[in-house]
Amino acid sequence: MVKSAEKINAVFVDCDWGRAYTTLTGRYGIRGYPSLVFIDSEGELLAKMTDRSPEAVKKLIEDASSKSTPKSLFLPSWEKALVLAKKEKKPILYLFSLENEASKRLESMLLDSTVREVRGKFVMVKSEIRKDSPDALRFKVENSSVPIVLVLDPREATPEDRQYRLPPDAKTPKPIREWLERVAEKLSE
């Protein structure tokens, strides 16, 4: 196994031989099937596979993963997020995650290009759900077995008292974007 492949999330798209996902295939210049492209978390093309030999594929994976060193869009602490949110007059999007696939999927959806524009309206912070975490306790998520997204208003004296929680049925980027747009609008009033 190529060690660099551990940093790559694979997404398989069935393009139905050119009859489906034409926007996606057009954007990345897909002309034949199967095709392999590497894109970063912002949707920018990093590399395309042209040679299918094992050595070439290994090199392509290594090169693509080295180019894709994503800058974290998440701040590491509530305190830093609160200071920045007050300064920039933005609400806070707080991702509480676990070490599991559901958390990886949710984070991936928050970083999806569909959510990119609305994401800029928030200061983002992320931490792990742990029973001993002060933030998990403050926001009452310490017993959760699923990842949680909260939106909080930094203008509130105690932001934890007025939380907006991502609904459990928002499982793809589009409904997540729509929910974030509604909450951002509500908080801008």
Side-chain angles (χ1 to χ4, degrees):
M1 163 138 173
V2 178
K3 187 80 174 153
S4 302
E6 292 174 357
K7 295 193 276 182
I8 294 174
N9 292 320
V11 177
F12 297 92
V13 180
D14 181 358
C15 294
D16 194 24
W17 294 100
R19 295 184 294 271
Y21 299 105
T22 54
T23 303
L24 191 62
T25 56
R27 179 175 181 184
Y28 297 112
I30 306 297
R31 301 202 195 310
Y33 306 97
S35 289
L36 180 63
V37 294
F38 293 88
I39 58 173
D40 67 13
S41 61
E42 295 294 315
E44 297 302 316
L45 182 66
L46 297 174
K48 269 179 144 173
M49 184 171 67
T50 54
D51 182 348
R52 295 178 188 270
S53 70
E55 298 79 24
V57 171
K58 179 179 185 243
K59 182 170 179 2
L60 185 64
I61 290 171
E62 289 168 348
D63 291 350
S65 69
S66 71
K67 287 182 194 173
S68 182
T69 50
K71 58 185 183 293
S72 179
L73 298 175
F74 294 98
L75 292 173
S77 75
W78 165 251
E79 291 77 16
K80 288 181 181 181
L82 186 58
V83 168
L84 185 60
K86 284 180 178 183
K87 180 181 171 191
E88 294 186 0
K89 297 183 171 112
K90 291 180 177 180
I92 299 167
L93 183 154
Y94 203 142
L95 170 62
F96 286 94
S97 65
L98 301 151
E99 286 294 319
N100 63 21
E101 286 304 311
S103 292
K104 289 177 187 171
R105 273 193 309 278
L106 181 55
E107 183 172 348
S108 173
M109 285 185 272
L110 288 169
L111 298 177
D112 188 272
S113 60
T114 306
V115 182
R116 181 185 307 153
E117 188 176 313
V118 72
R119 197 174 55 223
K121 296 177 181 180
F122 297 87
V123 169
M124 299 193 340
V125 61
K126 174 179 146 183
S127 71
E128 218 175 292
I129 297 174
R130 292 187 328 265
K131 291 190 185 302
D132 63 341
S133 162
D135 285 354
L137 293 166
R138 174 186 294 131
F139 297 104
K140 298 174 179 64
V141 299
E142 71 275 10
N143 294 315
S144 181
S145 59
V146 295
I148 294 174
V149 173
L150 301 177
V151 172
L152 306 145
D153 188 345
R155 299 171 299 183
E156 295 285 332
T158 52
E160 56 271 25
D161 292 340
R162 188 169 177 211
Q163 305 175 2
Y164 297 88
R165 231 176 240 241
L166 180 68
D169 61 339
K171 296 184 181 201
T172 60
K174 186 177 178 200
I176 290 172
R177 182 194 72 221
E178 291 167 350
W179 175 77
L180 287 171
E181 287 170 341
R182 285 191 305 273
V183 173
E185 187 175 321
K186 189 180 286 190
L187 290 175
S188 69
E189 296 171 348

